[in-house]
Amino acid sequence: MYSRKFPLGKLFSFLFLAFIGLLAASALSAWTGPAASAPSGNVAAPINVGTIDQVKNSGLSVNVLSVFGRQYIQSGLNIGTITSNQVAALNVNGTVIIGNGGEVCQAVTEGALKYNSSTKGVEFCNGTKWCPIAGCAPLVVKTVFLTSGTLWTVPSDWNSSSNTIEVIGAGGSGTGSFCSGGGGGGYAKATNVTLTPSASVTYAVGSGGGNNTSG
């Protein structure tokens, strides 16, 4: 009886080539090339870890999405629900928790919302200061100067462009022997005066006429 031995090295090479062939066949069966002649029907590159911007013109579904940086949404954002008749830029089907980011209320943050943990209420920025949702009541504060001074500090929460200043001059002295009173002081008023909050303002208060008992 004749027996032929098959070298072990050739057997290994044969099995390796067979394995590679099976992998290639599996890959070819899973991929379908463009039906049109090149360059028509080219398949766009998939989303990858590259640094080049990519645009997908159809839907994209993921189980988890993490954004490490700023994000931009051009039209509308639906959270928790998908509607075809969305009329607002943001549609949230659920509860929204608002915190306090610590931003300063100014022109660039006008319209922002925050939660004030001290007052236990939601506030909005009107471009100048943070106001309760009910709105900021006009600030009416009257400061009267009756004695001389040098500097006055404008309150930090004052509206800088709508202040009113009234000046009433001191009266003149009267004549005691003729029982006549002195002349009244002058009066002046200025509205929409600009005052810078927290700034120091110099002022002076004059004295009225003294008693005149001579004839």
Side-chain angles (χ1 to χ4, degrees), residues 124 126 129-141 157 159:
F124 72 95
N126 66 358
K129 62 181 178 179
W130 291 101
C131 302
I133 291 297
C136 284
L139 183 63
V140 179
V141 178
D157 58 349
N159 191 325

Side-chain angles (χ1 to χ4, degrees), residues 85-142:
N85 57 346
Q86 180 177 351
V87 295
L90 177 61
N91 184 11
V92 180
N93 184 19
T95 302
V96 177
I97 299 178
I98 301 177
N100 183 357
E103 293 82 4
V104 176
C105 180
Q106 50 190 324
V108 296
T109 54
E110 184 175 356
L113 295 174
K114 75 170 185 178
Y115 176 74
N116 189 325
S117 58
S118 298
T119 61
K120 305 300 181 183
V122 177
E123 300 178 348
F124 72 95
C125 171
N126 66 358
T128 303
K129 62 181 178 179
W130 291 101
C131 302
I133 291 297
C136 284
L139 183 63
V140 179
V141 178
K142 179 183 291 185

Side-chain angles (χ1 to χ4, degrees), residues 25 39-40 48 51-52 56 61 69 79 82 87 90 92 114 116 123 125 129 133 158 173 182 201 204 210:
S40 301
N48 51 53
T51 58
I52 300 176
K56 182 172 177 58
S61 299
I79 300 178
I82 298 178
V87 295
L90 177 61
V92 180
K114 75 170 185 178
N116 189 325
E123 300 178 348
C125 171
K129 62 181 178 179
I133 291 297
W158 274 31
S173 62
V201 178

Side-chain angles (χ1 to χ4, degrees), residues 35-85:
S37 300
S40 301
N42 286 345
V43 179
I47 297 177
N48 51 53
V49 296
T51 58
I52 300 176
D53 294 337
Q54 293 180 290
V55 177
K56 182 172 177 58
N57 293 322
S58 60
L60 175 65
S61 299
V62 294
N63 291 328
V64 178
L65 176 63
S66 298
V67 179
F68 303 99
R70 305 183 68 87
Q71 59 276 350
Y72 168 73
I73 300 173
Q74 185 174 6
S75 55
L77 175 63
N78 290 287
I79 300 178
T81 183
I82 298 178
T83 59
S84 58
N85 57 346

Side-chain angles (χ1 to χ4, degrees), residues 186-211:
Y187 173 80
K189 179 180 180 179
T191 58
N192 295 323
V193 178
T194 299
L195 294 174
T196 303
S198 302
S200 296
V201 178
T202 303
Y203 72 95
V205 177
S207 301
N211 293 333

